[in-house]
Amino acid sequence: MVINHSSLLLLFFFSTLFIIPINSQLLSPIIHCSDTSGDRNTYIIHVETANATKFLAREARERYYRSFLQPLSSSGEQLMLYSYMHAINGFAARLTEAEVKTMMKMKGFVHAQKDHEYNLHTTHSPDFLGLQQDHCFWKESNYGKGVIIGVLDTGVMPNHQSFTGEDMPLPPAKWKGICDFDIPVCNNKLVGARGFLRGCRNSPVDDNGHGMHTASIAAGNFVANASVLGQAKGNASGIAPKAHLAVYKVCYKHCHGSDILAAIDQAISDGVDVLSISIGGRPDPFYDDHMAIGALAAVEKGLFVSSSAGNMGPKESSVENNAPWMLTVGASTMDRSIRVTIKLGNGEEINGESAYQPDNFPFTMLPLIFPGEKGVVRAKTCSDGSLDGINVRGKIVLCETGGGVNNSIEKGMVVKNAGGIAMILMNQGKQMLTVKARAHVLPAAQISYGDSLRIKKYMKASPVATAGILFKGTVYGTPVSPSIASFSGRGPSVINNGVMKPDIVGPGLNILAAWPSSADCSAMPTFNMLSGTSMAAPHLAGVAALLKASHPDWSPAMIKSAIMTTADELRQDGKLISDETGNSTNYFAMGAGHVNPSKANDPGLVYDINIDDYISYLCGLGYSDRQVSAVARRYIECLSRKAITAEELNYPTFTVSVASESQKTVTRTVKNVGENNAVYTVQVDAPEGVKVDVYPEKIEFSEINETVVYDVYFTSGDSSERIGSVSEGQLRWVSGKHVVKSAITVSFV
């Protein structure tokens, strides 16, 4: 049966529709739809709590916030955009620099920061993660039933089959959000949707695709026969297919910090359990990082926050979303390939990938041409207009990735418009083995950097270079998976002063998920294949939802610990996880390892962290009282509490710096979430250059939720020749049933 979009909308309307009445107390903290022109900029203003402000209703809190603006607006001009209830103690307003300076002198003022922009970090994956219907963890966690995942992104298309309410239970009674579409299209799957744009009420409809893609990865419902152009065909679903979705559109043309804070504020009010945020920006100190501040407020309220590590890898220290209270997720590959084989005129064969696999493209040897062989950059990357005057008609055209002007799909359009019959997209050095399968507009194959060099070498040696292309479809079981995608953000963090980031990696390359329109213009359910840490973060949000459903009493830090201490470090072929070069990777690329949801459900021991520990850590970063107070959303005097370093935070990993001939002691506390009368013994793979001792070497628990403290002693000899280098190791607590792993990274200073 072919169903057009309007029919789908009616099906939603008449299916298991769940409508929430609009209540003025539940509306977002939008105050005024502001004109963004003129000499005013948006500022995020942090203020002290006055009297018992945190216990007041929104209206009273807003009046208090307005008292800071009244002296600045004699004309009665509306300055305030948002009045925040949970995300921060403060508000967003349109102000001049002079007005901000005036406000800084007012009693109760804490901190001001100009609003800045954040960027988007842009099927088979449940199977790849060991999640199958009616099997083990997925069944035990009831597929995430009763958990609400909030997605901050570009919105959603509610009429997509991934968001149908079929076979979905009612949302829990705590849900207080609304569905802000012009017509009632929400249901028991998509329970709410809101749009936030510079203080304006705006449509949550996704006109980009990124938002519905990430939402369906986290919690899309089951859809049969999902595919992209007939490839990767199968039953698609999110990681937590019975969890509810609340979508908060914060990215229109840009993603602004004030809008992100407003969405987090709303999500906390609405009753969301897990936040998925595939957005990031330049690493800023936490007191100037609006998303990190809002995330801490969410974690304090019990929400788990999964965020993307950014797509600036493999550059060192490119990781984003560095706050220790957020789960920072890097991107890995899966064992699926949408294969294209290129046969060169000399008989060599090269495997590449493409989601577009035409049935009617004959295997014929055709002439090869590389327009950029003379070094012209624009021609190398097949930029717009770069093929003018070059005869590519009827030929297979070689194009390099990158160039910063057009993406791989647009390169194909340039080739097609110039008369090229097919395209070979060649990775550049930094991408190495990371190959994307895209829905190209002509027969195409993307190949690795090493294979690109092979083709170029063949062309130089052959006066008349030819090649044929054979489309082989979807292939499963690639043994070198998972590996780290080249673009995945890498540590160490330049902001958090010693907390290992990223925390974990999950599927983020060639991920099939919901999309606004069909790649082949058909009326079938629409899906697309995208790559990025944007795709990895919602995988982990879905895993967190499953764990939340299975263990409702676990804190966000406990869920995070369970994910990290049970992560896999080996590929499917039994070798260590590799990076884009094919060599074994390190913790700065993979974090604790690759997520294993079933193991995370039964971790044995967990490392918990409370909010006061995070605040003591902020004091340990050397922030001023005002700066810490801005992040903590209450007055903090660091001298009155014990500041701790990042090394002392009860994190599930160890990142320490050691000087030559020195000793350092780090303390950790573990909680038993396994069995009564459990006994664990320690095993240590010491990083090269240090001696690692643990006391006690055996820990015992008589009951569940009991805690034990242990110390780790790092002792270095003469490490003068190691200064500036890093060594890695691992600490494991082992019982008869569990292996609780903690990565160790030692920097020599």
Side-chain angles (χ1 to χ4, degrees):
M1 178 180 178
V2 177
I3 304 172
N4 62 31
H5 283 283
S6 59
S7 298
L8 273 174
L9 207 60
L10 287 171
L11 282 173
F12 268 78
F13 185 80
F14 291 110
S15 65
T16 52
L17 182 65
F18 181 72
I19 305 174
I20 304 168
I22 295 179
N23 182 319
S24 62
Q25 295 299 314
L26 304 181
L27 296 178
S28 75
I30 295 175
I31 301 301
H32 180 66
C33 190
S34 173
D35 178 10
T36 57
S37 60
D39 60 351
R40 284 193 163 92
N41 293 298
T42 300
Y43 285 84
I44 311 296
I45 308 297
H46 301 260
V47 298
E48 294 177 1
T49 54
N51 303 320
T53 304
K54 68 178 180 179
F55 302 112
L56 297 178
R58 188 181 296 282
E59 292 81 359
R61 182 179 288 249
E62 183 187 325
R63 284 195 298 272
Y64 170 59
Y65 293 159
R66 286 190 185 280
S67 69
F68 290 88
L69 295 173
Q70 287 168 355
L72 308 178
S73 184
S74 57
S75 64
E77 181 181 359
Q78 178 64 265
L79 302 178
M80 188 180 289
L81 301 182
Y82 294 112
S83 168
Y84 300 110
M85 190 77 177
H86 305 286
I88 67 168
N89 257 350
F91 55 93
R94 298 282 297 170
L95 301 168
T96 65
E97 188 174 340
E99 288 169 339
V100 173
K101 289 181 178 178
T102 298
M103 191 180 293
M104 287 178 177
K105 301 173 185 177
M106 297 179 185
K107 182 180 179 181
F109 174 88
V110 174
H111 182 65
Q113 173 66 15
K114 187 181 291 186
D115 197 2
H116 57 255
E117 294 177 6
Y118 292 81
N119 303 305
L120 296 168
H121 285 155
T122 200
T123 75
H124 170 61
S125 50
D127 287 339
F128 183 64
L129 295 178
L131 300 171
Q132 290 96 29
Q133 280 186 272
D134 301 321
H135 185 265
C136 297
F137 177 37
W138 229 5
K139 189 175 181 180
E140 290 171 14
S141 64
N142 213 355
Y143 306 95
K145 180 180 177 181
V147 178
I148 303 169
I149 301 177
V151 180
L152 275 63
D153 214 292
T154 65
V156 67
M157 291 289 285
N159 59 328
H160 194 281
Q161 280 188 267
S162 293
F163 309 120
T164 179
E166 183 178 354
D167 296 327
M168 283 294 299
L170 289 168
K174 68 173 183 172
W175 171 247
K176 297 179 176 65
I178 68 167
C179 185
D180 201 15
F181 292 103
D182 291 334
I183 56 176
V185 291
C186 285
N187 51 52
N188 291 335
K189 164 58 72 178
L190 181 62
V191 296
R194 303 291 301 272
F196 299 87
L197 177 61
R198 313 298 275 169
C200 306
R201 173 186 178 272
N202 220 290
S203 169
V205 170
D206 188 0
D207 52 7
N208 176 289
H210 190 276
M212 64 187 296
H213 200 273
T214 57
S216 67
I217 291 170
N221 213 333
F222 293 99
V223 180
N225 298 318
S227 69
V228 176
L229 300 175
Q231 299 304 312
K233 192 172 185 178
N235 294 328
S237 81
I239 300 301
K242 293 302 179 184
H244 308 282
L245 277 169
V247 172
Y248 302 90
K249 182 171 181 174
V250 295
C251 297
Y252 290 79
K253 186 177 180 181
H254 303 288
C255 315
H256 293 282
S258 57
D259 299 327
I260 292 169
L261 278 173
I264 294 174
D265 200 86
Q266 189 68 52
I268 295 170
S269 291
D270 288 347
V272 164
D273 298 298
V274 175
L275 285 177
S276 179
I277 308 178
S278 294
I279 304 168
R282 67 177 187 271
D284 282 321
F286 297 133
Y287 55 81
D288 281 340
D289 186 337
H290 311 314
M291 195 152 70
I293 295 171
L296 182 59
V299 168
E300 186 169 5
K301 294 290 185 178
L303 283 73
F304 183 91
V305 181
S306 178
S307 61
S308 45
N311 297 336
M312 299 303 290
K315 181 181 177 183
E316 183 178 296
S317 296
S318 56
V319 64
E320 301 175 22
N321 294 321
N322 292 280
W325 46 88
M326 304 167 77
L327 182 75
T328 308
V329 188
S332 60
T333 67
M334 293 193 298
D335 65 342
R336 181 182 64 199
S337 172
I338 318 297
R339 187 162 296 171
V340 183
T341 297
I342 303 164
K343 185 173 182 179
L344 303 180
N346 62 0
E348 288 187 70
E349 291 190 356
I350 291 172
N351 287 326
E353 297 208 35
S354 173
Y356 177 47
Q357 303 252 331
D359 295 330
N360 58 352
F361 190 78
F363 179 76
T364 305
M365 300 304 288
L366 298 167
L368 278 174
I369 183 171
F370 180 34
E373 64 181 339
K374 295 182 179 179
V376 180
V377 175
R378 284 178 53 79
K380 278 185 178 181
T381 57
C382 297
S383 300
D384 290 343
S386 65
L387 303 186
D388 294 349
I390 301 176
N391 181 19
V392 301
R393 188 165 299 279
K395 300 176 182 178
I396 299 175
V397 182
L398 275 63
C399 305
E400 290 184 351
T401 58
V405 178
N406 56 359
N407 61 37
S408 60
I409 304 297
E410 292 165 340
K411 295 178 194 299
M413 293 175 66
V414 170
V415 171
K416 185 176 182 179
N417 292 337
I421 198 168
M423 174 180 70
I424 297 175
L425 192 61
M426 304 184 295
N427 274 2
Q428 296 193 53
K430 71 175 185 178
Q431 297 156 322
M432 298 299 287
L433 295 171
T434 299
V435 177
K436 297 179 181 179
R438 300 295 302 274
H440 291 287
V441 297
L442 80 171
Q446 183 168 345
I447 61 175
S448 71
Y449 177 64
D451 288 335
S452 301
L453 297 180
R454 287 172 61 193
I455 285 188
K456 290 178 181 178
K457 181 179 179 181
Y458 160 66
M459 291 187 69
K460 284 185 178 180
S462 304
V464 181
T466 59
I469 299 179
L470 182 63
F471 294 95
K472 294 185 174 179
T474 306
V475 178
Y476 295 94
T478 305
V480 294
S481 59
S483 60
I484 309 303
S486 62
F487 52 78
S488 187
R490 311 298 164 96
S493 168
V494 296
I495 293 296
N496 67 29
N497 206 31
V499 177
M500 191 183 79
K501 292 288 179 175
D503 293 305
I504 198 79
V505 293
L509 183 72
N510 300 331
I511 305 301
L512 184 146
W515 195 248
S517 58
S518 170
D520 60 358
C521 302
S522 74
M524 296 297 291
T526 55
F527 295 86
N528 200 0
M529 206 168 277
L530 298 184
S531 300
T533 56
S534 278
M535 285 63 250
H539 275 91
L540 270 295
V543 171
L546 297 177
L547 293 173
K548 184 76 173 176
S550 189
H551 304 281
D553 58 330
W554 282 8
S555 71
M558 293 169 69
I559 293 174
K560 181 177 184 177
S561 172
I563 290 170
M564 294 176 65
T565 60
T566 58
D568 292 332
E569 299 168 279
L570 301 178
R571 305 184 314 200
Q572 292 193 340
D573 61 1
K575 297 180 181 179
L576 291 171
I577 290 175
S578 55
D579 61 16
E580 71 285 349
T581 67
N583 298 317
S584 297
T585 191
N586 57 38
Y587 292 134
F588 289 146
M590 72 173 182
H594 191 271
V595 61
N596 186 319
S598 296
K599 287 184 179 179
N601 189 45
D602 184 19
L605 306 176
V606 292
Y607 296 79
D608 201 4
I609 306 175
N610 62 47
I611 294 299
D612 279 342
D613 293 333
Y614 290 129
I615 294 173
S616 295
Y617 157 75
L618 293 170
C619 289
L621 290 176
Y623 292 172
S624 69
D625 289 350
R626 283 181 177 268
Q627 291 167 340
V628 175
S629 298
V631 183
R633 305 167 320 286
R634 55 186 174 272
Y635 178 69
I636 300 295
E637 185 179 31
C638 285
L639 286 177
S640 66
R641 63 170 59 230
K642 182 182 182 298
I644 63 173
T645 65
E647 296 172 350
E648 297 171 290
L649 198 61
N650 199 43
Y651 219 66
T653 57
F654 297 87
T655 303
V656 298
S657 57
V658 297
S660 186
E661 297 182 345
S662 66
Q663 185 181 78
K664 179 171 286 186
T665 304
V666 177
T667 301
R668 289 288 189 270
T669 301
V670 287
K671 178 183 287 190
N672 178 30
V673 294
E675 299 79 36
N676 294 330
N677 303 313
V679 179
Y680 289 81
T681 55
V682 73
Q683 296 178 357
V684 178
D685 298 329
E688 188 175 341
V690 294
K691 183 174 181 285
V692 180
D693 297 294
V694 180
Y695 182 81
E697 295 181 347
K698 178 185 291 186
I699 55 178
E700 300 182 9
F701 302 88
S702 59
E703 57 187 24
I704 302 295
N705 291 327
E706 186 179 351
T707 60
V708 168
V709 178
Y710 69 91
D711 294 318
V712 184
Y713 303 91
F714 296 89
T715 307
S716 66
D718 181 4
S719 59
S720 56
E721 294 184 358
R722 295 182 180 271
I723 292 176
S725 67
V726 176
S727 287
E728 295 185 342
Q730 189 181 80
L731 181 152
R732 296 178 297 279
W733 288 109
V734 182
S735 73
K737 183 178 180 181
H738 299 101
V739 178
V740 186
K741 298 176 289 187
S742 291
I744 302 174
T745 302
V746 174
S747 299
F748 295 93
V749 296

